[in-house]
PDB file of all heavy atoms in Angstrom:
ATOM      1  N   ARG A1366     -23.328  26.362  10.134  1.00 70.00           N
ATOM      2  CA  ARG A1366     -21.943  26.717  10.382  1.00 70.00           C
ATOM      3  C   ARG A1366     -21.062  25.685   9.701  1.00 70.00           C
ATOM      4  O   ARG A1366     -21.332  24.490   9.778  1.00 70.00           O
ATOM      5  CB  ARG A1366     -21.696  26.715  11.891  1.00 70.00           C
ATOM      6  CG  ARG A1366     -20.330  27.203  12.280  1.00 70.00           C
ATOM      7  CD  ARG A1366     -20.198  27.282  13.764  1.00 70.00           C
ATOM      8  NE  ARG A1366     -20.062  25.907  14.274  1.00 70.00           N
ATOM      9  CZ  ARG A1366     -19.843  25.607  15.525  1.00 70.00           C
ATOM     10  NH1 ARG A1366     -19.775  26.549  16.419  1.00 70.00           N
ATOM     11  NH2 ARG A1366     -19.716  24.367  15.912  1.00 70.00           N
ATOM     12  N   VAL A1367     -20.029  26.153   9.038  1.00 62.00           N
ATOM     13  CA  VAL A1367     -19.091  25.261   8.366  1.00 62.00           C
ATOM     14  C   VAL A1367     -17.812  25.242   9.185  1.00 62.00           C
ATOM     15  O   VAL A1367     -17.281  26.284   9.559  1.00 62.00           O
ATOM     16  CB  VAL A1367     -18.793  25.753   6.932  1.00 62.00           C
ATOM     17  CG1 VAL A1367     -17.756  24.865   6.281  1.00 62.00           C
ATOM     18  CG2 VAL A1367     -20.075  25.797   6.122  1.00 62.00           C
ATOM     19  N   GLN A1368     -17.349  24.051   9.479  1.00 66.00           N
ATOM     20  CA  GLN A1368     -16.133  23.913  10.279  1.00 66.00           C
ATOM     21  C   GLN A1368     -15.213  22.927   9.571  1.00 66.00           C
ATOM     22  O   GLN A1368     -15.641  21.841   9.174  1.00 66.00           O
ATOM     23  CB  GLN A1368     -16.474  23.401  11.678  1.00 66.00           C
ATOM     24  CG  GLN A1368     -15.286  23.272  12.578  1.00 66.00           C
ATOM     25  CD  GLN A1368     -15.695  22.820  13.977  1.00 66.00           C
ATOM     26  OE1 GLN A1368     -16.862  22.651  14.257  1.00 66.00           O
ATOM     27  NE2 GLN A1368     -14.726  22.617  14.825  1.00 66.00           N
ATOM     28  N   ALA A1369     -13.972  23.306   9.400  1.00 60.00           N
ATOM     29  CA  ALA A1369     -13.000  22.426   8.758  1.00 60.00           C
ATOM     30  C   ALA A1369     -12.612  21.306   9.721  1.00 60.00           C
ATOM     31  O   ALA A1369     -12.479  21.535  10.920  1.00 60.00           O
ATOM     32  CB  ALA A1369     -11.768  23.224   8.363  1.00 60.00           C
ATOM     33  N   PRO A1370     -12.449  20.093   9.201  1.00 69.00           N
ATOM     34  CA  PRO A1370     -12.033  19.002  10.086  1.00 69.00           C
ATOM     35  C   PRO A1370     -10.574  19.198  10.513  1.00 69.00           C
ATOM     36  O   PRO A1370      -9.782  19.804   9.808  1.00 69.00           O
ATOM     37  CB  PRO A1370     -12.185  17.757   9.212  1.00 69.00           C
ATOM     38  CG  PRO A1370     -12.090  18.261   7.818  1.00 69.00           C
ATOM     39  CD  PRO A1370     -12.643  19.664   7.830  1.00 69.00           C
ATOM     40  N   ASN A1371     -10.275  18.693  11.700  1.00 70.00           N
ATOM     41  CA  ASN A1371      -8.901  18.767  12.204  1.00 70.00           C
ATOM     42  C   ASN A1371      -8.043  17.748  11.471  1.00 70.00           C
ATOM     43  O   ASN A1371      -8.491  16.662  11.148  1.00 70.00           O
ATOM     44  CB  ASN A1371      -8.859  18.473  13.706  1.00 70.00           C
ATOM     45  CG  ASN A1371      -9.590  19.542  14.491  1.00 70.00           C
ATOM     46  OD1 ASN A1371      -9.668  20.683  14.068  1.00 70.00           O
ATOM     47  ND2 ASN A1371     -10.145  19.164  15.619  1.00 70.00           N
ATOM     48  N   ARG A1372      -6.819  18.135  11.208  1.00 63.00           N
ATOM     49  CA  ARG A1372      -5.880  17.222  10.582  1.00 63.00           C
ATOM     50  C   ARG A1372      -4.972  16.661  11.661  1.00 63.00           C
ATOM     51  O   ARG A1372      -4.493  17.380  12.527  1.00 63.00           O
ATOM     52  CB  ARG A1372      -5.034  17.954   9.548  1.00 63.00           C
ATOM     53  CG  ARG A1372      -5.852  18.360   8.334  1.00 63.00           C
ATOM     54  CD  ARG A1372      -4.992  18.932   7.291  1.00 63.00           C
ATOM     55  NE  ARG A1372      -4.056  17.880   6.870  1.00 63.00           N
ATOM     56  CZ  ARG A1372      -3.229  18.006   5.864  1.00 63.00           C
ATOM     57  NH1 ARG A1372      -3.197  19.118   5.184  1.00 63.00           N
ATOM     58  NH2 ARG A1372      -2.419  17.039   5.530  1.00 63.00           N
ATOM     59  N   VAL A1373      -4.754  15.383  11.579  1.00 57.00           N
ATOM     60  CA  VAL A1373      -3.891  14.713  12.547  1.00 57.00           C
ATOM     61  C   VAL A1373      -2.847  13.917  11.780  1.00 57.00           C
ATOM     62  O   VAL A1373      -3.177  13.138  10.894  1.00 57.00           O
ATOM     63  CB  VAL A1373      -4.711  13.760  13.458  1.00 57.00           C
ATOM     64  CG1 VAL A1373      -3.803  13.023  14.414  1.00 57.00           C
ATOM     65  CG2 VAL A1373      -5.769  14.532  14.215  1.00 57.00           C
ATOM     66  N   ASP A1374      -1.596  14.156  12.097  1.00 61.00           N
ATOM     67  CA  ASP A1374      -0.509  13.384  11.504  1.00 61.00           C
ATOM     68  C   ASP A1374      -0.074  12.333  12.520  1.00 61.00           C
ATOM     69  O   ASP A1374       0.181  12.645  13.681  1.00 61.00           O
ATOM     70  CB  ASP A1374       0.681  14.286  11.164  1.00 61.00           C
ATOM     71  CG  ASP A1374       0.343  15.277  10.057  1.00 61.00           C
ATOM     72  OD1 ASP A1374      -0.426  14.905   9.155  1.00 61.00           O
ATOM     73  OD2 ASP A1374       0.856  16.406  10.101  1.00 61.00           O
ATOM     74  N   LEU A1375      -0.026  11.097  12.092  1.00 52.00           N
ATOM     75  CA  LEU A1375       0.383  10.006  12.966  1.00 52.00           C
ATOM     76  C   LEU A1375       1.730   9.473  12.492  1.00 52.00           C
ATOM     77  O   LEU A1375       2.008   9.410  11.297  1.00 52.00           O
ATOM     78  CB  LEU A1375      -0.643   8.868  12.929  1.00 52.00           C
ATOM     79  CG  LEU A1375      -2.039   9.206  13.442  1.00 52.00           C
ATOM     80  CD1 LEU A1375      -2.947   8.009  13.250  1.00 52.00           C
ATOM     81  CD2 LEU A1375      -1.978   9.602  14.904  1.00 52.00           C
ATOM     82  N   GLY A1376       2.521   9.090  13.433  1.00 62.00           N
ATOM     83  CA  GLY A1376       3.822   8.515  13.107  1.00 62.00           C
ATOM     84  C   GLY A1376       4.434   7.931  14.366  1.00 62.00           C
ATOM     85  O   GLY A1376       3.951   8.161  15.470  1.00 62.00           O
ATOM     86  N   ALA A1377       5.448   7.177  14.192  1.00 62.00           N
ATOM     87  CA  ALA A1377       6.105   6.578  15.344  1.00 62.00           C
ATOM     88  C   ALA A1377       7.612   6.577  15.126  1.00 62.00           C
ATOM     89  O   ALA A1377       8.108   6.092  14.124  1.00 62.00           O
ATOM     90  CB  ALA A1377       5.614   5.153  15.551  1.00 62.00           C
ATOM     91  N   GLN A1378       8.281   7.182  16.062  1.00 70.00           N
ATOM     92  CA  GLN A1378       9.737   7.090  16.103  1.00 70.00           C
ATOM     93  C   GLN A1378      10.070   6.647  17.520  1.00 70.00           C
ATOM     94  O   GLN A1378       9.855   7.382  18.477  1.00 70.00           O
ATOM     95  CB  GLN A1378      10.389   8.436  15.821  1.00 70.00           C
ATOM     96  CG  GLN A1378      10.301   8.859  14.382  1.00 70.00           C
ATOM     97  CD  GLN A1378      11.069  10.142  14.154  1.00 70.00           C
ATOM     98  OE1 GLN A1378      11.448  10.849  15.074  1.00 70.00           O
ATOM     99  NE2 GLN A1378      11.312  10.433  12.888  1.00 70.00           N
ATOM    100  N   ILE A1379      10.548   5.441  17.624  1.00 69.00           N
ATOM    101  CA  ILE A1379      10.809   4.890  18.943  1.00 69.00           C
ATOM    102  C   ILE A1379      12.295   4.554  19.049  1.00 69.00           C
ATOM    103  O   ILE A1379      12.871   3.873  18.189  1.00 69.00           O
ATOM    104  CB  ILE A1379       9.969   3.618  19.182  1.00 69.00           C
ATOM    105  CG1 ILE A1379       8.484   3.965  19.114  1.00 69.00           C
ATOM    106  CG2 ILE A1379      10.298   2.982  20.505  1.00 69.00           C
ATOM    107  CD1 ILE A1379       7.582   2.771  19.204  1.00 69.00           C
ATOM    108  N   THR A1380      12.849   5.049  20.076  1.00 70.00           N
ATOM    109  CA  THR A1380      14.217   4.634  20.402  1.00 70.00           C
ATOM    110  C   THR A1380      14.142   3.935  21.746  1.00 70.00           C
ATOM    111  O   THR A1380      13.364   4.324  22.620  1.00 70.00           O
ATOM    112  CB  THR A1380      15.163   5.847  20.509  1.00 70.00           C
ATOM    113  OG1 THR A1380      14.661   6.749  21.464  1.00 70.00           O
ATOM    114  CG2 THR A1380      15.291   6.524  19.155  1.00 70.00           C
ATOM    115  N   GLY A1381      14.869   2.920  21.883  1.00 73.00           N
ATOM    116  CA  GLY A1381      14.844   2.198  23.152  1.00 73.00           C
ATOM    117  C   GLY A1381      15.868   1.079  23.161  1.00 73.00           C
ATOM    118  O   GLY A1381      16.564   0.822  22.187  1.00 73.00           O
ATOM    119  N   THR A1382      15.883   0.422  24.279  1.00 79.00           N
ATOM    120  CA  THR A1382      16.807  -0.691  24.473  1.00 79.00           C
ATOM    121  C   THR A1382      16.006  -1.973  24.372  1.00 79.00           C
ATOM    122  O   THR A1382      14.921  -2.087  24.941  1.00 79.00           O
ATOM    123  CB  THR A1382      17.448  -0.594  25.867  1.00 79.00           C
ATOM    124  OG1 THR A1382      18.007   0.713  26.010  1.00 79.00           O
ATOM    125  CG2 THR A1382      18.519  -1.637  26.042  1.00 79.00           C
ATOM    126  N   GLU A1383      16.582  -2.934  23.665  1.00 81.00           N
ATOM    127  CA  GLU A1383      15.858  -4.190  23.519  1.00 81.00           C
ATOM    128  C   GLU A1383      15.882  -4.966  24.830  1.00 81.00           C
ATOM    129  O   GLU A1383      16.888  -5.048  25.524  1.00 81.00           O
ATOM    130  CB  GLU A1383      16.463  -5.035  22.407  1.00 81.00           C
ATOM    131  CG  GLU A1383      17.895  -5.478  22.685  1.00 81.00           C
ATOM    132  CD  GLU A1383      18.482  -6.262  21.555  1.00 81.00           C
ATOM    133  OE1 GLU A1383      18.545  -5.736  20.443  1.00 81.00           O
ATOM    134  OE2 GLU A1383      18.896  -7.416  21.824  1.00 81.00           O
ATOM    135  N   ALA A1384      14.729  -5.526  25.130  1.00 85.00           N
ATOM    136  CA  ALA A1384      14.635  -6.368  26.321  1.00 85.00           C
ATOM    137  C   ALA A1384      14.876  -7.819  25.916  1.00 85.00           C
ATOM    138  O   ALA A1384      15.596  -8.549  26.595  1.00 85.00           O
ATOM    139  CB  ALA A1384      13.275  -6.222  26.978  1.00 85.00           C
ATOM    140  N   ARG A1385      14.297  -8.240  24.813  1.00 87.00           N
ATOM    141  CA  ARG A1385      14.518  -9.603  24.311  1.00 87.00           C
ATOM    142  C   ARG A1385      14.114  -9.688  22.857  1.00 87.00           C
ATOM    143  O   ARG A1385      13.327  -8.886  22.372  1.00 87.00           O
ATOM    144  CB  ARG A1385      13.795 -10.644  25.152  1.00 87.00           C
ATOM    145  CG  ARG A1385      12.301 -10.599  25.045  1.00 87.00           C
ATOM    146  CD  ARG A1385      11.635 -11.631  25.990  1.00 87.00           C
ATOM    147  NE  ARG A1385      10.189 -11.647  25.746  1.00 87.00           N
ATOM    148  CZ  ARG A1385       9.573 -12.545  25.016  1.00 87.00           C
ATOM    149  NH1 ARG A1385      10.236 -13.531  24.460  1.00 87.00           N
ATOM    150  NH2 ARG A1385       8.258 -12.472  24.842  1.00 87.00           N
ATOM    151  N   ILE A1386      14.619 -10.690  22.163  1.00 86.00           N
ATOM    152  CA  ILE A1386      14.268 -10.979  20.774  1.00 86.00           C
ATOM    153  C   ILE A1386      13.782 -12.431  20.746  1.00 86.00           C
ATOM    154  O   ILE A1386      14.587 -13.360  20.885  1.00 86.00           O
ATOM    155  CB  ILE A1386      15.479 -10.801  19.837  1.00 86.00           C
ATOM    156  CG1 ILE A1386      16.004  -9.361  19.945  1.00 86.00           C
ATOM    157  CG2 ILE A1386      15.093 -11.127  18.397  1.00 86.00           C
ATOM    158  CD1 ILE A1386      17.263  -9.105  19.172  1.00 86.00           C
ATOM    159  N   PRO A1387      12.460 -12.635  20.613  1.00 89.00           N
ATOM    160  CA  PRO A1387      11.924 -13.996  20.723  1.00 89.00           C
ATOM    161  C   PRO A1387      12.082 -14.844  19.461  1.00 89.00           C
ATOM    162  O   PRO A1387      11.702 -16.014  19.460  1.00 89.00           O
ATOM    163  CB  PRO A1387      10.446 -13.778  21.041  1.00 89.00           C
ATOM    164  CG  PRO A1387      10.128 -12.434  20.517  1.00 89.00           C
ATOM    165  CD  PRO A1387      11.389 -11.645  20.570  1.00 89.00           C
ATOM    166  N   VAL A1388      12.634 -14.316  18.384  1.00 86.00           N
ATOM    167  CA  VAL A1388      12.801 -15.102  17.157  1.00 86.00           C
ATOM    168  C   VAL A1388      14.289 -15.200  16.835  1.00 86.00           C
ATOM    169  O   VAL A1388      15.077 -14.336  17.198  1.00 86.00           O
ATOM    170  CB  VAL A1388      12.036 -14.472  15.965  1.00 86.00           C
ATOM    171  CG1 VAL A1388      10.542 -14.540  16.184  1.00 86.00           C
ATOM    172  CG2 VAL A1388      12.457 -13.052  15.694  1.00 86.00           C
ATOM    173  N   ALA A1389      14.631 -16.259  16.150  1.00 86.00           N
ATOM    174  CA  ALA A1389      16.028 -16.448  15.745  1.00 86.00           C
ATOM    175  C   ALA A1389      16.197 -15.960  14.321  1.00 86.00           C
ATOM    176  O   ALA A1389      15.234 -15.876  13.566  1.00 86.00           O
ATOM    177  CB  ALA A1389      16.384 -17.932  15.842  1.00 86.00           C
ATOM    178  N   GLY A1390      17.402 -15.628  13.951  1.00 81.00           N
ATOM    179  CA  GLY A1390      17.687 -15.184  12.588  1.00 81.00           C
ATOM    180  C   GLY A1390      17.333 -16.257  11.584  1.00 81.00           C
ATOM    181  O   GLY A1390      17.660 -17.419  11.757  1.00 81.00           O
ATOM    182  N   GLY A1391      16.603 -15.889  10.499  1.00 80.00           N
ATOM    183  CA  GLY A1391      16.227 -16.846   9.459  1.00 80.00           C
ATOM    184  C   GLY A1391      14.976 -17.634   9.783  1.00 80.00           C
ATOM    185  O   GLY A1391      14.538 -18.470   8.988  1.00 80.00           O
ATOM    186  N   GLN A1392      14.405 -17.429  10.949  1.00 84.00           N
ATOM    187  CA  GLN A1392      13.200 -18.167  11.335  1.00 84.00           C
ATOM    188  C   GLN A1392      12.001 -17.630  10.541  1.00 84.00           C
ATOM    189  O   GLN A1392      11.880 -16.441  10.288  1.00 84.00           O
ATOM    190  CB  GLN A1392      12.954 -18.005  12.845  1.00 84.00           C
ATOM    191  CG  GLN A1392      11.716 -18.696  13.346  1.00 84.00           C
ATOM    192  CD  GLN A1392      11.494 -18.446  14.841  1.00 84.00           C
ATOM    193  OE1 GLN A1392      12.390 -17.970  15.540  1.00 84.00           O
ATOM    194  NE2 GLN A1392      10.303 -18.754  15.309  1.00 84.00           N
ATOM    195  N   ILE A1393      11.080 -18.517  10.134  1.00 83.00           N
ATOM    196  CA  ILE A1393       9.860 -18.115   9.427  1.00 83.00           C
ATOM    197  C   ILE A1393       8.847 -17.635  10.466  1.00 83.00           C
ATOM    198  O   ILE A1393       8.590 -18.318  11.463  1.00 83.00           O
ATOM    199  CB  ILE A1393       9.283 -19.285   8.610  1.00 83.00           C
ATOM    200  CG1 ILE A1393      10.282 -19.685   7.522  1.00 83.00           C
ATOM    201  CG2 ILE A1393       7.934 -18.918   8.006  1.00 83.00           C
ATOM    202  CD1 ILE A1393       9.880 -20.897   6.730  1.00 83.00           C
ATOM    203  N   VAL A1394       8.277 -16.429  10.211  1.00 81.00           N
ATOM    204  CA  VAL A1394       7.305 -15.847  11.146  1.00 81.00           C
ATOM    205  C   VAL A1394       5.990 -15.599  10.416  1.00 81.00           C
ATOM    206  O   VAL A1394       5.933 -15.544   9.197  1.00 81.00           O
ATOM    207  CB  VAL A1394       7.824 -14.528  11.754  1.00 81.00           C
ATOM    208  CG1 VAL A1394       9.037 -14.789  12.634  1.00 81.00           C
ATOM    209  CG2 VAL A1394       8.133 -13.511  10.697  1.00 81.00           C
TER     210      VAL A1394
END
């Protein structure tokens, strides 16, 4: 029996409110 593999599209669209930002502007990460 031949069966085609399922296709899965992955992606992320997140909307939310920031709780905190642990880095400062211009900081090397």
Side-chain angles (χ1 to χ4, degrees):
R1366 186 175 75 176
V1367 177
Q1368 182 177 358
N1371 295 332
R1372 290 186 63 173
V1373 177
D1374 294 325
L1375 297 176
Q1378 287 185 346
I1379 298 174
T1380 56
T1382 307
E1383 64 182 58
R1385 69 183 186 100
I1386 301 175
V1388 293
Q1392 178 183 346
I1393 296 175
V1394 294

